[in-house]
Amino acid sequence: MLPTKQMSVQLLRQAFNSSQPPPRMWRSHELKERYDVVIIGGGAHGLACAYYLAKEHGITDVAVLEKSYIGAGGSGRNTAIVRSNYLTPEGVRFYNESVKLYEQLSDDLNFNVMFSQRGHLTLAHTDGGVNTMRRRAEVNQIEGVDSRLIWPDEIKRLCPYLDVSDHPRYPILAALYHPPGGIIRHDAVVWGYAHQADVRGAHIHQNTEVTGIKVKKGKVTGVETTRGRIKTGTVLNATAGWASTITTMVDIKLPLTTIPLQACVTEPLKPFLDVVVVSGSLHVYISQTDRGELVMGASVDPFSSYSMAGSLTFLEGIAGHVLELFPALSNVRILRQWAGICEMPPDYSPIMGFTPINGFLIDVGWGTYGFKASPIAGKTLAELIATDKTPDLIAPFRLSRFEENDLVGEKGAASVGH
Amino acid sequence: MLLLTCPNCGDRNVSEFRFGGELSSRPKDPSALSSAEWANYLYMRNNVMDAQTEWWHHNAGCGLWFLAERHTRTNEVIKTYPYAKRNA
Ligand SMILES: Cc1cc2nc3c(=O)[nH]c(=O)nc-3n(C[C@H](O)[C@H](O)[C@H](O)COP(=O)(O)OP(=O)(O)OC[C@H]3O[C@@H](n4cnc5c(N)ncnc54)[C@H](O)[C@@H]3O)c2cc1C
Ligand SMILES: [Zn+2]
């Protein structure tokens, strides 16, 4: 997608005017004593919510509190896969609305988020895998999502370097093909939302850590931060991997376990891989960026942790699995690896909306797959805040589903697939 | 974290072990629980960013399930011990 006009004009002006620094994308502010809405967590989710609050509902007295820099969490560490070919109708509907918002986002934010809908392949290496893909294709089609089962001949056409022979230990039997799936520039999404939220009046406070939440008679009255106290009646917890550390402040337990997820990137190669390739059985997924680097990830680490250290075990594992799919990559070098932390819910679906504490809202349970949901999560939660009602689209993801025994099981489509 | 100390076998590569999640206590009388209490036992977790008491299984070794105290931000293992010694 091309950058919009205004941005190119700005760029051009900048090119002839090197003496002036480019304008700031978002400003710094003193903490105000009071805000209508306080959002904890300056990731894509928190910033998107601030943006839609202002844009759709005229609510601009909003603070986004970020303990580090914006995008320091999963939003700056993910592998940027966007898709909607999930397993449950509730999930497919929800993620599909997000894909639609992403398709318009460069225009909407006047900022190029480089959404590249290059197609997404989920490989099946076993009969069980083929069955799951078939089921997903059916559910996707009923919900109007472009998604179908394809066989090795078509897989080979889409991805010539993939080994579709019967030589590998787990030969490729079929794949779920999802043409609208793809990758996006994750930092641009964070910056674009931050910029437009700032322009509309929201305050983005970096280096501002929430250390406590004030509750009186079951209702939120304020938050304590490393920069002072804020009075507010509405707090949204959008801290993803750190979500439980915030809810313990108000004695709410969440069904979450925080586990690191690692990824790595290779040196740039000539473009050879158009589609995003995912293999659940091999615990690996891979895509090629516009710069030619291969971005690769695996499943979550073997034990829970808030540590964002990388491990050699991960690199060894992923190298083996990638070579099983693409033997031709054996001499390619890894440039860097990193980790982020993911809060895993038992059913691999998000947890959004009201809690037992009046005015304390959550947007958590994003696990290894939440970046793609940033626009729709921000938009629906903004609506929930403005109307005090849960939008239908996110009603299935309410916190009370756990005691109502009404889980939304997405494991078959959410683990490894991201 | 590279090594973990099995109470039976001593220091071993952490890849020999399987993580079993944070320690929680089983309800004494499951049939007397309300749905909320049952959901609390099944799903809700403290998920602390702090020292955590947790289960480990030496599955590629002696097969013992034991407890560890580990800091979940640094992964520093404070100690490991058999379940029977949890109150010692
Ligand atoms: C390696 C990796 C690959 C991934 N790949 C994909 C993918 O391909 N597709 C996909 O859809 N998803 C993917 N994900 C998941 C995705 O990154 C997350 O679900 C998503 O970014 C969550 O966004 P967020 O805005 O909710 O949280 P985050 O971006 O994590 O933001 C939370 C913020 O809260 C801040 N915070 C924490 N505690 C406090 C406090 N006390 N006070 C103030 N601020 C605080 C943190 O500093 C952080 O910036 C991946 C994740 C990882 C780690
Ligand atoms: Zn042992």
Side-chain angles (χ1 to χ4, degrees):
Chain A
M1 228 173 271
L2 284 173
T4 47
K5 246 185 251 153
Q6 205 178 327
M7 200 169 129
S8 352
V9 173
Q10 252 178 31
L11 266 176
L12 207 62
R13 199 182 300 138
Q14 212 54 56
F16 293 105
N17 190 357
S18 53
S19 62
Q20 271 182 4
R24 290 262 157 201
M25 296 264 295
W26 51 88
R27 293 157 290 177
S28 299
H29 301 273
E30 293 299 314
L31 268 196
K32 283 204 311 171
E33 203 177 293
R34 185 187 175 284
Y35 288 94
D36 286 348
V37 180
V38 167
I39 296 170
I40 313 176
H45 281 248
L47 294 163
C49 185
Y51 167 70
Y52 292 110
L53 274 171
K55 182 183 169 235
E56 314 254 307
H57 307 284
I59 300 175
T60 56
D61 188 25
V62 175
V64 179
L65 308 180
E66 167 53 55
K67 71 170 173 168
S68 178
Y69 56 93
I70 63 168
S75 297
R77 296 164 186 272
N78 66 83
T79 42
I81 298 174
V82 174
R83 63 185 176 89
S84 61
N85 58 352
Y86 277 73
L87 182 63
T88 66
E90 296 86 349
V92 177
R93 255 170 246 155
F94 174 75
Y95 290 105
N96 194 36
E97 286 306 310
S98 215
V99 170
K100 286 188 201 158
L101 289 174
Y102 267 134
E103 285 171 347
Q104 304 302 325
L105 200 61
S106 290
D107 282 337
D108 200 13
L109 299 178
N110 188 26
F111 196 75
N112 189 358
V113 296
M114 299 168 84
F115 186 25
S116 160
Q117 294 182 281
R118 55 185 57 194
H120 183 283
L121 283 184
T122 315
L123 306 177
H125 307 257
T126 61
D127 289 345
V130 177
N131 279 342
T132 308
M133 299 312 152
R134 203 187 285 281
R135 199 173 131 201
R136 278 170 67 182
E138 295 286 333
V139 175
N140 295 166
Q141 286 164 17
I142 289 170
E143 295 299 330
V145 168
D146 191 358
S147 169
R148 61 192 164 89
L149 203 62
I150 62 172
W151 309 102
D153 51 337
E154 192 172 351
I155 300 173
K156 186 87 187 165
R157 269 202 304 280
L158 284 165
C159 191
Y161 286 85
L162 196 61
D163 185 354
V164 295
S165 72
D166 56 5
H167 295 170
R169 182 148 158 229
Y170 303 107
I172 295 165
L173 303 180
L176 185 66
Y177 179 39
H178 178 45
I183 54 175
I184 197 161
R185 175 90 205 278
H186 54 353
D187 295 321
V189 173
V190 170
W191 299 335
Y193 274 128
H195 176 60
Q196 291 297 345
D198 172 275
V199 164
R200 286 169 169 75
H203 284 187
I204 296 165
H205 295 291
Q206 303 188 88
N207 296 312
T208 309
E209 180 170 352
V210 172
T211 53
I213 296 170
K214 285 248 172 293
V215 177
K216 260 200 203 116
K217 294 194 189 130
K219 176 149 186 29
V220 168
T221 58
V223 299
E224 282 166 30
T225 79
T226 45
R227 286 173 60 208
R229 287 191 182 164
I230 301 172
K231 292 194 190 109
T232 185
T234 305
V235 170
L236 174 67
N237 175 10
T239 55
W242 294 269
S244 305
T245 69
I246 302 292
T247 48
T248 15
M249 296 174 185
V250 292
D251 288 327
I252 291 179
K253 257 177 143 183
L254 293 176
L256 297 175
T257 301
T258 292
I259 311 184
L261 178 68
Q262 302 190 46
C264 63
V265 61
T266 68
E267 59 188 334
L269 306 171
K270 281 188 185 169
F272 76 97
L273 180 62
D274 292 331
V275 286
V276 179
V277 177
V278 178
S279 165
S281 314
L282 293 176
H283 307 287
V284 64
Y285 59 96
I286 176 166
S287 70
Q288 188 169 27
T289 70
D290 296 330
R291 282 189 299 226
E293 299 158 341
L294 296 174
V295 175
M296 314 188 289
S299 34
V300 292
D301 276 8
F303 53 93
S304 77
S305 180
Y306 287 83
S307 156
M308 294 195 276
S311 71
L312 182 63
T313 324
F314 157 77
L315 266 193
E316 284 176 340
I318 200 163
H321 288 142
V322 165
L323 290 182
E324 184 107 331
L325 295 176
F326 296 98
L329 296 179
S330 61
N331 288 320
V332 175
R333 276 170 291 240
I334 303 284
L335 280 192
R336 7 171 233 292
Q337 76 178 102
W338 66 92
I341 55 173
C342 300
E343 78 293 14
M344 306 303 297
D347 57 356
Y348 289 70
S349 283
I351 309 169
M352 303 170 75
F354 298 109
T355 70
I357 292 175
N358 202 337
F360 183 77
L361 310 170
I362 53 176
D363 172 43
V364 304
W366 294 111
T368 60
Y369 43 79
F371 191 76
K372 69 177 68 60
S374 311
I376 194 63
K379 192 171 174 198
T380 48
L381 285 163
E383 183 184 333
L384 180 145
I385 291 170
T387 62
D388 211 24
K389 276 204 212 78
T390 304
D392 291 346
L393 196 62
I394 61 169
F397 308 128
R398 68 201 178 279
L399 174 60
S400 61
R401 75 175 182 269
F402 295 96
E403 57 183 76
E404 291 157 11
N405 197 16
D406 194 13
L407 273 60
V408 188
E410 274 296 358
K411 185 167 188 191
S415 64
V416 186
H418 303 318
Chain B
M1 188 164 91
L2 297 174
L3 293 178
L4 194 63
T5 311
C6 169
N8 285 336
C9 314
D11 289 353
R12 293 301 180 96
N13 192 319
V14 70
S15 63
E16 287 187 12
F17 300 87
R18 186 162 56 131
F19 177 63
E22 70 182 49
L23 177 66
S24 61
S25 51
R26 280 197 182 195
K28 295 232 158 51
D29 183 5
S31 53
L33 297 187
S34 69
S35 300
E37 287 165 331
W38 186 237
N40 188 54
Y41 166 67
L42 274 186
Y43 302 122
M44 302 302 159
R45 300 287 177 266
N46 292 313
N47 195 27
V48 295
M49 184 163 69
D50 204 337
Q52 166 170 292
T53 307
E54 57 191 24
W55 286 107
W56 285 86
H57 177 210
H58 196 185
N59 65 330
C62 67
L64 181 71
W65 278 96
F66 61 95
L67 296 175
E69 269 169 40
R70 176 177 63 101
H71 203 293
T72 58
R73 195 172 48 74
T74 59
N75 288 338
E76 181 201 355
V77 180
I78 301 147
K79 58 178 174 179
T80 59
Y81 47 94
Y83 180 71
K85 295 213 173 132
R86 68 195 177 282
N87 295 321

